[in-house]
Amino acid sequence: MTGTTRTSADLDPRRRRTLYRSWHRGTREMDLIMGRFADAEIGTLTEEELDDFERLIEVPDRDLFRWITDEAEAPSNYDTAVYRRMKAFHQHGAPVDL
């Protein structure tokens, strides 16, 4: 089970692979964080943004989760527009329905 709600039929091979990797991180929490963002944004990312997102996929779950939840500051080489977009995508003031 991936959890994805998006079809990959309209995506090029690189974006399909990235979408898959977003939903298969290792921990369910990071699958939901990366996967839901990818479902919503993968089709509109530029090539440079896709490069940045793929770099984020390589970050260990524990580290990336700490950055997203503000337990630690993201290093400057990962604090990109895509990272900030993903973080903002998941910020809200109400409880999350999973």
Side-chain angles (χ1 to χ4, degrees):
M1 178 177 124
T2 66
T4 188
T5 58
R6 186 196 202 290
T7 179
S8 62
D10 62 331
L11 299 176
D12 61 70
R14 180 182 180 196
R15 290 172 195 276
R16 283 185 190 148
R17 183 175 52 253
T18 302
L19 179 63
Y20 177 87
R21 291 180 65 212
S22 298
W23 278 106
H24 294 86
R25 300 251 332 149
T27 64
R28 190 62 180 153
E29 293 84 0
M30 288 311 300
D31 289 352
L32 292 168
I33 290 170
M34 298 291 283
R36 286 183 176 172
F37 177 77
D39 277 358
E41 303 291 332
I42 196 79
T44 62
L45 295 176
T46 67
E47 292 299 312
E48 294 79 22
E49 290 171 333
L50 193 55
D51 290 341
D52 289 342
F53 188 65
E54 288 173 332
R55 275 192 293 281
L56 286 170
I57 288 174
E58 298 300 325
V59 173
D61 285 354
R62 177 189 54 173
D63 296 338
L64 188 54
F65 187 78
R66 290 179 70 220
W67 303 344
I68 294 289
T69 60
D70 291 326
E71 289 180 38
E73 189 173 321
S76 60
N77 58 321
Y78 289 107
D79 189 11
T80 63
V82 168
Y83 164 76
R84 290 187 298 278
R85 216 164 115 190
M86 182 177 65
K87 188 172 177 176
F89 181 83
H90 292 290
Q91 290 181 340
H92 47 79
V96 177
D97 292 330
L98 297 178

